[in-house]
Amino acid sequence: MSGAWIIILAYILDRCIGDPRWIPHPVIGMGKGISALESIMRARVHTDNGLKKAGIWFPILIAGGSFAVTWGLLFLLGLIHPILAAAAEIILIATTIASKGLRDAGMEVYRHLKQQDWPGARHSLGMIVGRDTAHLDEPEVVRGTVETVAENIVDAIVSPLFYALIGGAPLAMAYRAVNTLDSMVGYKNDKYLHLGWASARLDDWANWIPARVTALLLIVGAWVLKLDAKGAARMVARDARLHPSPNSGFPESAVAGALGIRLGGHNVYHGVASFRAYMGEATRPMESEDIVRTTRLMFWSAGAFVGFCFLATLGVWLAGGALLW
């Protein structure tokens, strides 16, 4: 049962303090490792086929290394005292979650909108999305914020908790490494098409189950919060697979259906226009309050999944078994 309490306390810790900037974050170390490994690979490999083969080493070394280092650290701390290892595991799992950070980022945009500070709202949105935001109007700023919060319910909350449930901090940290790899080298452009393919594919696989679990949680959350649960379920069934990502469409379509808004559409990335398939139906104009509603859905889904982690651990324990950790 100790695993369930560790997950619960890790979530509470993230919910309360997030990621203070004065505390070194493991993702920073992962990012430096990825950059260093990329430099080595590019210096030694100069063909597309060679880069494609070299790209396999990214998840092996970065994700595998993150798992091994975390496991080794907890093992050594356990030799000193089990409570020390448990405390470290709580902190480490908390660093893989970003519920408070995601909420704060979304609400910062919301506050600027409520103050009619359009430049501030565009700038805050630009800090959390890759699209150009300098000329967006209010509905487009709201859309970008809602899409980002919805999509990251999977990456920043449910997926790391899912892997923490299965394999504790080592597996949660390995997942965070996979996600960091995807954000740094998993692009389908000329620079990373060959070198980052394995990282992007592994990230898709790692989020496959959590994304669908998240959609279910959002549908139930819509019912609990008296939003449109039927609309959420309908939009997931209809639109989720239209998204270019095999996973992101599930939370985005669920949120769109729950709120009765339409996500997706035209975006501009570094001056280049791009169209993303529509998610949901526009039963009303988007408004700044949709950011608040999405945040509530996010917290309900996160809390529900933490509760599921507790019940799953309890069930395995009562059955006389144990999870992997």
Side-chain angles (χ1 to χ4, degrees):
M1 283 298 293
S2 61
W5 289 111
I6 284 175
I7 289 175
I8 292 170
L9 292 173
Y11 174 70
I12 292 173
L13 181 62
D14 174 73
R15 179 81 179 262
C16 292
I17 68 171
D19 297 313
R21 294 183 179 181
W22 56 272
I23 298 179
H25 199 284
V27 170
I28 296 176
M30 293 174 188
K32 291 181 178 179
I34 293 168
S35 296
L37 186 57
E38 180 183 353
S39 297
I40 293 172
M41 288 179 177
R42 292 192 183 279
R44 297 185 177 184
V45 182
H46 304 287
T47 66
D48 290 345
N49 190 49
L51 288 174
K52 192 171 184 178
K53 292 179 180 178
I56 299 174
W57 286 101
F58 268 125
I60 292 174
L61 295 177
I62 302 299
S66 297
F67 181 95
V69 169
T70 305
W71 185 91
L73 174 62
L74 294 175
F75 177 78
L76 292 175
L77 291 175
L79 295 177
I80 299 173
H81 200 285
I83 293 179
L84 189 60
E89 187 144 33
I90 291 169
I91 294 171
L92 288 169
I93 292 175
T95 65
T96 68
I97 312 166
S99 61
K100 183 178 184 297
L102 189 56
R103 181 259 182 199
D104 290 349
M107 293 306 293
E108 181 177 338
V109 177
Y110 171 77
R111 284 192 293 271
H112 285 301
L113 291 175
K114 295 300 287 184
Q115 295 166 3
Q116 298 186 349
D117 176 11
W118 315 128
R122 296 181 188 116
H123 174 75
S124 294
L125 176 62
M127 299 298 291
I128 58 175
V129 299
R131 71 192 68 172
D132 298 344
T133 63
H135 304 291
L136 298 182
D137 58 15
E138 180 176 359
E140 286 297 295
V141 170
V142 172
R143 176 171 75 87
T145 307
V146 169
E147 288 175 350
T148 299
V149 173
E151 178 181 358
N152 281 284
I153 296 173
V154 178
D155 297 49
I157 303 174
V158 175
S159 283
L161 288 175
F162 175 78
Y163 288 104
L165 174 66
I166 297 172
L171 198 57
M173 201 63 70
Y175 166 76
R176 180 52 61 206
V178 170
N179 191 244
T180 304
L181 276 166
D182 182 62
S183 67
M184 291 184 66
V185 303
Y187 298 101
K188 295 180 180 179
N189 55 27
D190 292 340
K191 184 176 181 180
Y192 290 113
L193 180 62
H194 301 288
L195 190 60
W197 73 272
S199 298
R201 189 71 57 82
L202 183 58
D203 184 73
D204 288 342
W205 291 342
N207 286 310
W208 197 92
I209 293 175
R212 286 145 183 83
V213 170
T214 300
L216 179 60
L217 291 171
L218 288 168
I219 292 168
V220 177
W223 178 77
V224 172
L225 297 175
K226 301 186 185 305
L227 299 171
D228 189 355
K230 290 183 180 179
R234 188 163 58 90
M235 291 305 108
V236 169
R238 193 190 75 178
D239 295 341
R241 291 172 179 81
L242 299 178
H243 198 284
S245 163
N247 301 311
S248 297
F250 284 84
E252 287 190 29
S253 60
V255 168
L259 301 185
I261 60 176
R262 189 178 71 177
L263 302 177
H266 294 278
N267 300 318
V268 178
Y269 297 91
H270 306 292
V272 179
S274 175
F275 177 78
R276 179 178 294 179
Y278 289 121
M279 302 269 158
E281 295 174 351
T283 62
R284 59 174 178 80
M286 273 184 283
E287 58 185 14
S288 60
E289 294 302 320
D290 288 321
I291 298 173
V292 178
R293 297 182 186 108
T294 305
T295 301
R296 289 173 181 162
L297 277 168
M298 175 196 74
F299 277 137
W300 192 95
S301 301
F305 191 75
V306 170
F308 168 78
C309 291
F310 176 80
L311 293 176
T313 308
L314 177 62
V316 172
W317 179 70
L318 290 175
L323 296 174
L324 297 181
W325 55 299

